[in-house]
Amino acid sequence: MDRDLPNSSCEQSIRSSSENPAEDSLSPETLASLRSLVITPSTPDTTISSIFQTLTRSLQLSRDPLVLHHTLKLLSDLASYRPSLSSSVSELVRSHALLSSDSTRLAAESLDVLASIAEREGTPVDLDDRSFVSLCFGPSVSVRSWLLRNAERFRIGPHVLLTTFLGFTRDPYPYVRKTALDGLVGLSKPSVVEDLDMIQACYCRAVELLLDTEDYVRSAAVRAVSAWGLMLVAFNLKTKLYWSDNLFVKLCSMGRDMSMEVRVEAFDALGKIEIVSVDILLQTLSKRVLGTTKEMGSFGQCPAAEVERSASSVAGVLVHGLEDEFYEVRKSTCHSLRTLTIISAEFSEKALNLLMDVLNDDSMFVRLQALETMLHMATYGLLKVQGTHMHMFLGSLMDGNMSISSATRKILKLVKLPNLETFKLSVDGLIDNLERHPQDEADIFSVLFHIGRNHGKYGVSIINEVFEEMEPPSEGKLGFDTARVAALLVLAISAPLSHGQHACNIPPIIFSYAVTLLGRISVALTDVMNQDTLLAYLSQCSRSTRFSAMEFNLREDKPHLPAVTIASLSHSSNEINSTVGSPFQQGEDGAANLQYQAIREPMEVASLHFGYPLEVQDEVIRSMNLILAKVKDIWPLIQSGFTNEVLRVLRSFKEELATFASGSLRFVGDVAFALQYLQVVKQLAKVWEHFLPARKLCSGMGELDIALGKLETSLREMRSRFTGLSLKQELQILELLLLTFTLRLSKVESCCQVASLKKLSTTASHVESILKLGSIEPSNFMSEVSKLSYLTRTSSFGAPCDPFLFKELLKYFSLEQFVVFGTIGHIKAELVVPDNDAENHLPFVPRLPVGIPCEITLHNICSENKVWVRMTMDDESTQFVFLDLDHFGSSDEVRKFTYVVPFYRIPSALSFILRICIGMECSFEDVPSVKRYGGPDRELTYLCQEKEVHLSMVGEH
């Protein structure tokens, strides 16, 4: 099809309009087709100028609302794609009578154009308060909602907005009421409203709408009640408790609403309240109305009937929230307890009993939120775990979901255990956890060290009981590699750093045993001390463990940070602080000083939110990042050849990620990316088997070439099928590609040496171009590959290369952790051939092309991507058909269309099966082109599974 035909038609329409300026010759269809010329960068300026003149006449002469609608839309596009015309378009629309016309819809569309231009240029939109209010009272409900929703774009005075929003909360149309309430929430700021009566008026009006018949209005009302109620609470210290109690009761009354969304909003709002009477707070945990609630001061000022009604609203509301049938409500209730438990120690203790029950919840999201709330409580010293809780709490260590067990271990780092029995249960639980999940060793060692430091007396007691287990057998063979003994060694070495004088009872020989695990322990204690400090500490303790927490040489310039030299440690046993630990520092006199830094406070641990930055707040993203962190930790298992164990662990990770795919559509791209990465690691583990010294190949090099081909294909899909990747993520994928090419080149018998060398060289060049940006440091592996690649580029690609040089590069490689932030989009396609299966065939006529009707859905694919339909028959005959995306809808995230794909290579058969799928060309410069007639210029990344299409000759089926 000639692509210039539509443009020629458009230009003909433009010329026709120019020749007949008085005639309204532009139909809505013609105006819509002009958009292709406007958005195409190559359209000549003269054509753009003609389009602008045509649109100007259309705006001035036309009376057809549809034509005017398309005209305004085109003018908006013109200002967006041609910034030089922005001021002209703005002047044209502003001077036109649409703003003062009887059609409020056209006036709103004109304002939208002006606001869009103003936002791009950073200039205000001139719209006086009277015109805004007049348009709001127009007959169109949709325009009224749009104006209220976009009021802030026109810089209307806050008092006018407040009055307008407050008035439209009584609008007969529910969506207008909802929009007005949302507008009130946006104005609930002390800098906007300072009058107490006005604040009370907004609060009371929002309270009235808590009884609205529409769910989304009640949801908006809950948000408004919360926002304006908190303003009342903060307005006057004398009435702070009264209004806080009042707000709390109103929100509790919505905790049993029929709508799940309303209940979620109510519990979210409860979590924002920082002060409330303890009697009311305790009532939320009891379904029976307590007598103390009725005697409370703020309730006592109200009539008896209202007191009874308020008490009933509050009674057991948090219990109901934790027992709700929807996991979203249960999760929101757990989150609200984060703030509420800080208000009262008594409430915190009783709420903990409920949270422990929540650890059995069916939803991983709810269990994780309950643990995060417990972590918050532990941070403030309010987590009082009792013996009755331990069975339920430690059960979370064995949870099949890695995020849950990791969160439980974070809490154990902070919690204060009441007695030796609960301490023993915790240690046994951690050791069991280590035996079941050896890949979590570093995290578990860290927890054992911290709880030993926090409970020195209990730790010493356990070590003395099990000391004989830790002794090597009589034949002298050391057995410190067992999980239990290694865990007990970590627990033992924490004793000298505990509060009190308990370390003297630890046999010094234990610290000598711990030196044999120096590397593994130091990895776990990076937040406390580095490896050199740990070695010096163990060496000193192996000579004497009689340290006191009360005796230090404090430096005057840094109180509470004791500094001790190694020399003094060898002569004195009174130099180690019970609460600190840290790295070497060089003293002014040249001596090596052992400078102990303060161990991180609980508040800092909590602020990390399970080890990730504060901006990564969503529990789905945190959970995925925890899994990806553990993937990095299984690299030693891959190197050692424990492939079956690696595959088992990856399978469990995949199952966890699959739960996120069904639980949150917002992060479907990040989940798909993480799953693809697990597939890459799985294939890498299978490839690595071929490079182990003891590997005996039975199937020759063909098996390795196939495995490397699958790994390269998966990595190419990882690059091509995801949008929104950061430079760091792209570099990590490129590093894995470099590893793939290096693995292929390190085998003498491997085929395609020349092609692999060329791919490695082009990929290394691409990596260097990214690194030149200066924001990311290359890994050791990247640097070494770059050096060797430079040497190979000095000769021709056909020159022989030494496999030994490439094999030497492998020792520099290690897996780095991928981190996702919720910004990744998944490029994929869905292909359906309706009414076709093994029993219902499509008919065809011999020697004539046949059309395959396809229902196609494309996700996150822009017009610049080259998309092809591939049709294959009998693995021999393949045909490609190009999909011109400009003809199939806009460039939205999702395109849905029906397209009849022609197939020309009809066989001489009564019936046949055609396999059809959709692929996208790899657009990266380092991906080589392919020689193919009538098809894509580069390799394709396939976006969907192949579909089988059954066809039979007319009259044969």
Side-chain angles (χ1 to χ4, degrees):
M1 181 180 293
D2 187 356
R3 295 188 184 181
D4 292 334
L5 287 178
N7 293 351
S8 300
S9 175
C10 293
E11 292 174 357
Q12 186 176 6
S13 299
I14 295 171
R15 287 195 298 271
S16 175
S17 177
S18 302
E19 295 168 0
N20 303 281
E23 180 183 350
D24 181 17
S25 62
L26 290 182
S27 66
E29 292 78 10
T30 303
L31 283 167
S33 65
L34 287 175
R35 187 172 186 272
S36 62
L37 287 171
V38 172
I39 67 176
T40 302
S42 60
T43 303
D45 292 340
T46 54
T47 304
I48 294 298
S49 178
S50 299
I51 292 175
F52 178 66
Q53 295 174 10
T54 301
L55 295 176
T56 301
R57 285 191 295 273
S58 176
L59 199 63
Q60 294 171 346
L61 302 178
S62 178
R63 295 296 178 265
D64 186 345
L66 187 57
V67 171
L68 291 172
H69 164 77
H70 283 288
T71 301
L72 288 169
K73 182 66 174 68
L74 271 174
L75 286 169
S76 178
D77 291 337
L78 200 61
S80 175
Y81 288 93
R82 308 288 171 164
S84 59
L85 292 176
S86 291
S87 58
S88 301
V89 172
S90 181
E91 288 297 326
L92 172 64
V93 176
R94 187 180 287 108
S95 63
H96 192 58
L98 288 178
L99 289 175
S100 59
S101 68
D102 295 333
S103 174
T104 55
R105 182 178 298 277
L106 290 175
E109 291 178 357
S110 301
L111 286 172
D112 190 24
V113 174
L114 292 174
S116 299
I117 296 173
E119 287 165 357
R120 285 192 295 269
E121 296 181 349
T123 56
V125 179
D126 297 328
L127 182 65
D128 60 276
D129 296 347
R130 178 176 296 181
S131 298
F132 174 78
V133 174
S134 175
L135 289 171
C136 286
F137 280 96
S140 174
V141 178
S142 60
V143 170
R144 191 181 313 154
S145 298
W146 183 88
L147 286 166
L148 295 176
R149 195 167 55 249
N150 292 272
E152 62 181 12
R153 301 173 71 187
F154 306 114
R155 301 191 182 184
I156 307 300
H159 296 292
V160 174
L161 283 180
L162 188 65
T163 306
T164 304
F165 287 144
L166 199 57
F168 279 109
T169 58
R170 302 182 183 276
D171 194 274
Y173 294 95
Y175 193 75
V176 176
R177 297 198 296 274
K178 183 260 184 190
T179 307
L181 284 167
D182 289 339
L184 284 177
V185 172
L187 293 175
S188 58
K189 303 172 185 176
S191 58
V192 176
V193 183
E194 299 177 352
D195 183 67
L196 177 61
D197 292 336
M198 182 59 74
I199 297 174
Q200 286 182 331
C202 293
Y203 175 72
C204 293
R205 179 57 192 146
V207 168
E208 292 176 20
L209 288 175
L210 291 176
L211 303 177
D212 198 278
T213 56
E214 296 295 334
D215 296 349
Y216 53 85
V217 177
R218 296 199 302 278
S219 293
V222 169
R223 293 192 293 271
V225 166
S226 174
W228 289 96
L230 291 174
M231 282 194 68
L232 281 173
V233 170
F235 192 85
N236 192 329
L237 289 177
K238 295 181 180 179
T239 59
K240 184 174 185 177
L241 182 61
Y242 170 80
W243 282 115
S244 188
D245 287 348
N246 187 286
L247 171 62
F248 190 84
V249 171
K250 293 294 188 297
L251 294 174
C252 285
S253 68
M254 304 305 291
R256 299 183 183 88
D257 193 272
M258 293 182 296
S259 167
M260 180 270 289
E261 289 79 7
V262 175
R263 297 198 297 276
V264 170
E265 289 287 355
F267 286 113
D268 285 347
L270 284 173
K272 299 176 183 178
I273 298 179
E274 298 178 351
I275 181 174
V276 65
S277 297
V278 176
D279 293 335
I280 295 181
L281 203 55
L282 294 174
Q283 181 65 79
T284 61
L285 303 179
S286 173
K287 296 180 181 180
R288 181 177 58 86
V289 177
L290 304 175
T292 55
T293 307
K294 298 180 180 180
E295 299 172 0
M296 192 189 59
S298 59
F299 273 21
Q301 301 174 9
C302 304
E306 184 176 344
V307 171
E308 188 70 27
R309 189 164 53 250
S310 298
S312 299
S313 299
V314 175
V317 66
L318 291 176
V319 179
H320 285 292
L322 294 173
E323 296 173 349
D324 198 276
E325 61 178 314
F326 293 97
Y327 86 89
E328 294 93 341
V329 179
R330 302 195 299 274
K331 174 178 168 293
S332 176
T333 308
C334 288
H335 187 270
S336 68
L337 287 171
R338 284 169 53 94
T339 304
L340 299 178
T341 50
I342 300 175
I343 297 175
S344 163
E346 182 182 1
F347 174 81
S348 174
E349 184 177 344
K350 293 184 177 181
L352 181 60
N353 296 326
L354 297 176
L355 286 172
M356 287 295 175
D357 291 335
V358 174
L359 296 181
N360 277 332
D361 196 276
D362 294 335
S363 169
M364 181 275 293
F365 299 110
V366 178
R367 298 198 303 274
L368 189 60
Q369 184 60 67
L371 289 168
E372 189 169 344
T373 299
M374 291 183 192
L375 177 63
H376 195 71
M377 295 167 65
T379 301
Y380 286 89
L382 295 171
L383 190 66
K384 308 298 182 183
V385 179
Q386 304 300 322
T388 55
H389 298 149
M390 292 308 295
H391 176 72
M392 192 80 67
F393 179 68
L394 293 177
S396 297
L397 282 175
M398 305 303 147
D399 195 291
N401 187 287
M402 187 174 57
S403 304
I404 300 297
S405 57
S406 177
T408 307
R409 293 194 291 265
K410 292 290 183 182
I411 296 172
L412 281 173
K413 279 188 176 183
L414 301 180
V415 70
K416 191 70 175 177
L417 299 171
N419 50 49
L420 179 60
E421 181 182 0
T422 56
F423 184 81
K424 285 183 176 180
L425 288 173
S426 300
V427 172
D428 289 341
L430 287 167
I431 293 175
D432 191 12
N433 193 207
L434 177 60
E435 291 172 342
R436 295 187 184 206
H437 303 284
Q439 71 274 12
D440 295 337
E441 179 184 88
D443 193 21
I444 295 171
F445 278 4
S446 177
V447 179
L448 284 165
F449 184 88
H450 280 82
I451 66 170
R453 181 175 60 86
N454 295 335
H455 306 82
K457 180 174 64 175
Y458 300 150
V460 170
S461 177
I462 287 181
I463 296 304
N464 287 327
E465 287 181 13
V466 301
F467 176 65
E468 292 184 0
E469 292 183 39
M470 305 167 69
E471 285 278 82
S474 57
E475 58 269 22
K477 182 180 179 181
L478 299 179
F480 304 137
D481 285 337
T482 65
R484 177 173 175 80
V485 173
L488 291 173
L489 285 174
V490 174
L491 181 67
I493 66 173
S494 65
L497 297 178
S498 65
H499 296 278
Q501 301 183 25
H502 315 297
C504 56
N505 296 324
I506 297 290
I509 190 64
I510 287 181
F511 295 88
S512 298
Y513 298 158
V515 174
T516 64
L517 304 178
L518 180 67
R520 291 161 61 185
I521 296 175
S522 66
V523 170
L525 303 185
T526 53
D527 62 331
V528 179
M529 62 183 82
N530 63 20
Q531 184 169 316
D532 292 337
T533 305
L534 177 61
L535 177 59
Y537 167 65
L538 294 176
S539 299
Q540 172 60 24
C541 291
S542 66
R543 292 187 288 273
S544 173
T545 58
R546 300 184 61 84
F547 294 107
S548 170
M550 304 299 295
E551 299 177 6
F552 298 101
N553 292 330
L554 297 179
R555 293 172 57 182
E556 294 181 0
D557 58 330
K558 290 188 178 180
H560 311 300
L561 295 178
V564 229
T565 65
I566 294 179
S568 65
L569 281 172
S570 64
H571 293 90
S572 172
S573 60
N574 302 320
E575 309 292 350
I576 296 183
N577 192 343
S578 64
T579 60
V580 292
S582 75
F584 279 114
Q585 289 188 357
Q586 190 74 18
E588 294 180 1
D589 56 354
N593 288 340
L594 187 62
Q595 176 68 44
Y596 281 82
Q597 305 282 341
I599 288 178
R600 294 181 179 181
E601 292 298 321
M603 179 65 76
E604 184 179 352
V605 176
S607 70
L608 293 177
H609 280 262
F610 304 133
Y612 288 95
L614 288 173
E615 60 267 19
V616 188
Q617 292 294 319
D618 192 279
E619 66 274 1
V620 176
I621 294 299
R622 288 202 302 272
S623 300
M624 282 195 286
N625 282 325
L626 283 171
I627 293 173
L628 293 174
K630 298 304 178 185
V631 173
K632 174 180 68 71
D633 294 338
I634 67 174
W635 176 241
L637 294 177
I638 296 176
Q639 289 179 301
S640 302
F642 294 103
T643 306
N644 291 334
E645 178 66 13
V646 169
L647 297 182
R648 184 188 65 78
V649 173
L650 290 175
R651 196 178 305 115
S652 67
F653 291 166
K654 183 178 179 181
E655 291 171 357
E656 291 184 45
L657 287 172
T659 63
F660 302 147
S662 59
S664 178
L665 293 177
R666 177 184 170 192
F667 303 113
V668 65
D670 296 83
V671 173
F673 182 84
L675 287 171
Q676 182 71 14
Y677 178 58
L678 293 187
Q679 180 69 16
V680 166
V681 176
K682 173 184 175 181
Q683 291 166 345
L684 177 59
K686 292 182 177 181
V687 167
W688 202 267
E689 276 188 310
H690 294 263
F691 294 84
L692 296 175
R695 171 72 175 178
K696 294 182 180 180
L697 293 175
C698 301
S699 54
M701 284 302 300
E703 180 184 347
L704 175 60
D705 285 330
I706 292 173
L708 285 168
K710 290 181 178 179
L711 177 59
E712 184 179 350
T713 300
S714 295
L715 287 167
R716 189 170 65 242
E717 290 181 357
M718 206 170 176
R719 289 186 73 191
S720 304
R721 294 192 59 184
F722 297 95
T723 62
L725 296 179
S726 66
L727 284 179
K728 175 67 174 176
Q729 290 166 332
E730 185 178 357
L731 269 179
Q732 288 176 276
I733 298 172
L734 290 171
E735 185 178 25
L736 288 168
L737 275 171
L738 289 174
L739 175 66
T740 304
F741 304 142
T742 303
L743 288 168
R744 194 185 294 276
L745 291 166
S746 64
K747 281 291 185 179
V748 178
E749 309 90 346
S750 180
C751 61
C752 305
Q753 289 277 346
V754 175
S756 298
L757 190 58
K758 185 173 183 179
K759 287 180 179 179
L760 182 136
S761 179
T762 53
T763 304
S765 298
H766 187 54
V767 168
E768 290 172 5
S769 66
I770 295 178
L771 292 174
K772 286 179 180 177
L773 299 176
S775 59
I776 304 174
E777 289 294 326
S779 66
N780 292 335
F781 178 74
M782 286 183 185
S783 300
E784 295 300 322
V785 170
S786 179
K787 294 176 185 177
L788 186 55
S789 175
Y790 174 78
L791 294 177
T792 60
R793 284 200 297 267
T794 59
S795 62
S796 65
F797 284 114
C801 54
D802 187 357
F804 178 77
L805 295 177
F806 291 96
K807 196 167 186 176
E808 280 295 295
L809 294 177
L810 300 180
K811 65 183 180 183
Y812 295 102
F813 178 81
S814 63
L815 276 181
E816 292 188 18
Q817 180 190 347
F818 273 94
V819 179
V820 295
F821 302 98
T823 59
I824 298 177
H826 189 198
I827 296 177
K828 60 180 181 178
E830 298 165 14
L831 175 63
V832 177
V833 181
D835 303 322
N836 182 261
D837 52 36
E839 297 180 359
N840 300 293
H841 292 199
L842 290 176
F844 72 91
V845 178
R847 295 187 298 277
L848 290 179
V850 61
I852 312 297
C854 297
E855 295 178 358
I856 299 174
T857 305
L858 304 178
H859 297 263
N860 299 305
I861 299 179
C862 61
S863 299
E864 289 73 21
N865 294 124
K866 295 182 179 180
V867 180
W868 296 80
V869 177
R870 190 195 71 177
M871 293 172 285
T872 306
M873 181 182 62
D874 300 331
D875 294 328
E876 297 178 357
S877 179
T878 301
Q879 178 189 319
F880 294 90
V881 175
F882 178 71
L883 293 179
D884 189 346
L885 299 184
D886 289 334
H887 296 161
F888 303 111
S890 62
S891 58
D892 296 330
E893 292 183 357
V894 180
R895 302 171 189 252
K896 292 184 179 181
F897 57 90
T898 300
Y899 183 64
V900 179
V901 182
F903 183 70
Y904 300 99
R905 302 176 182 180
I906 305 298
S908 299
L910 297 179
S911 64
F912 66 98
I913 296 176
L914 193 65
R915 296 194 306 277
I916 182 171
C917 65
I918 297 175
M920 181 180 68
E921 286 191 38
C922 296
S923 57
F924 302 106
E925 294 180 358
D926 55 300
V927 175
S929 58
V930 294
K931 295 181 179 180
R932 184 185 290 120
Y933 177 76
D937 296 327
R938 294 178 180 269
E939 294 180 348
L940 292 182
T941 297
Y942 293 102
L943 309 179
C944 65
Q945 295 292 328
E946 268 190 343
K947 299 286 185 182
E948 286 191 350
V949 181
H950 300 264
L951 301 100
S952 62
M953 189 184 301
V954 174
E956 293 296 329
H957 186 75

